[in-house]
Amino acid sequence: MRVHIAADHAGFELREYLISYLTAAGHEVIDHGATEYDAMDAYPTMCIPCGEAVAADPGSLGIVIGGSGNGEQIAANKVKGIRAALVWSEATAVLAREHNDANIAAIGARQHSKEEAKHFVKVFLATPFSQESRHQERIALMSEYEEKRR
């Protein structure tokens, strides 16, 4: 699977760790930075391009990482066609994919160990969308709204 990934300074170290893990697991990883540590960088400059890449690459998924994951999720969700979910447990990783067909996982590097974050990513990538009609209808409502307001 092709996986787009981005992180600010707070997620820099976890991003590098996850790139190694994902590559070893056989995924094609597209890195949207930050490519060097800069304590003054701004997550929208990485997360928005990551979201744009996922939206333009059907079948791919993305991961955005920061201190809490909150701002990164918000930035990615500004991109048309993105459904970024804050993933903070195995259950939220599963539900984001099964119920919301989320295409980006946002993770807080300051909230979890590297091993926990790796597990959340593994679960997120492995979980398919349920295809249940009630979930499809909800996603369609959001997509319809998104089309009308842009």
Side-chain angles (χ1 to χ4, degrees):
M1 171 181 293
R2 192 165 21 263
V3 180
H4 296 269
I5 191 166
D8 69 356
H9 60 279
F12 184 82
E13 197 174 305
L14 179 57
R15 182 190 119 275
E16 290 188 330
Y17 176 80
L18 290 174
I19 288 171
S20 294
Y21 159 70
L22 292 166
T23 302
H27 297 285
E28 178 185 351
V29 181
I30 311 297
D31 184 8
H32 298 275
T35 56
E36 58 185 52
Y37 181 84
D38 176 359
M40 299 306 291
D41 64 12
Y43 58 82
T45 62
M46 298 85 170
C47 296
I48 290 172
C50 183
E52 290 173 337
V54 171
D57 187 7
S60 71
L61 293 174
I63 303 162
V64 293
I65 310 161
S68 69
N70 285 313
E72 296 73 24
Q73 174 197 21
I74 292 167
N77 275 322
K78 297 297 181 187
V79 177
K80 181 179 175 183
I82 292 303
R83 289 178 305 284
L86 183 62
V87 172
W88 51 270
S89 67
E90 181 174 327
T92 58
V94 168
L95 292 170
R97 292 288 301 133
E98 282 184 352
H99 290 195
N100 306 114
D101 198 16
N103 47 13
I104 293 184
I107 298 175
R110 293 178 179 152
Q111 313 304 312
H112 308 286
S113 70
K114 289 178 183 175
E115 287 300 313
E116 287 173 324
K118 179 176 86 172
H119 179 68
F120 301 157
V121 166
K122 182 178 177 181
V123 170
F124 183 83
L125 297 179
T127 304
F129 177 50
S130 72
Q131 302 289 332
E132 288 182 37
S133 62
R134 67 188 174 116
H135 300 309
Q136 288 177 335
E137 290 167 11
R138 293 168 185 164
I139 292 167
L141 287 169
M142 289 185 286
S143 296
E144 181 182 323
Y145 173 79
E146 187 175 56
E147 285 298 320
K148 286 181 182 177
R149 72 177 186 106
R150 293 195 188 244

